[in-house]
Amino acid sequence: MEEPENGIHPANLAQVVELVHELAVDTSQAPGPGNPMRQVIVNTHSPGVVKLVGHEDLLYARQVPTLDGVGEGGIQLLPIRDSWRAELGGPVAGAADLIDYLTMPPGQSALFNIVA
């Protein structure tokens, strides 16, 4: 899903995140043959959405240079440190990678506050 928050009032972001979560599995039943878990991939640039999703469900996308260092390479998806996706000794993203993205730049005022 590409930026599901587009066109959604900020007060409704929590419901959008919950709806996407419900696409992955019927949370009223235990996962199993009649209730299979589905992979749902969401791309977002919204700090509000990131704040509403548990760190265990986030992957941090960073650009990777090409082997020759010329031009743009692909992206690498990193799990968040201390999540179930993080492998021992493997590359991870931490709070320092996300903090600049999730905080308001100096001198800017928030139009709204999101409380998770």
Side-chain angles (χ1 to χ4, degrees):
M1 300 178 84
E2 179 73 19
E3 299 182 351
E5 71 278 0
N6 283 347
I8 303 296
H9 189 279
N12 295 327
L13 284 178
Q15 289 85 355
V16 170
V17 170
E18 181 62 29
L19 178 62
V20 171
H21 185 261
E22 289 174 3
L23 291 173
V25 66
D26 180 352
T27 57
S28 67
Q29 300 177 27
N35 185 30
M37 295 192 75
R38 297 165 198 88
Q39 184 176 23
V40 179
I41 299 173
V42 175
N43 174 34
T44 185
H45 293 94
S46 168
V49 171
V50 172
K51 288 178 182 180
L52 291 169
V53 175
H55 80 280
E56 67 278 357
D57 290 329
L58 292 175
L59 292 171
Y60 177 76
R62 72 173 180 189
Q63 192 167 3
V64 179
T66 59
L67 293 176
D68 61 7
V70 178
E72 296 181 10
I75 61 166
Q76 181 180 27
L77 298 176
L78 300 176
I80 306 301
R81 182 180 284 103
D82 298 327
S83 71
W84 65 270
R85 287 185 169 91
E87 296 180 19
L88 186 61
V92 295
D97 297 306
L98 299 175
I99 196 71
D100 286 340
Y101 180 71
L102 294 176
T103 57
M104 185 67 61
Q108 299 291 316
S109 62
L111 296 175
F112 57 88
N113 292 319
I114 298 174
V115 179

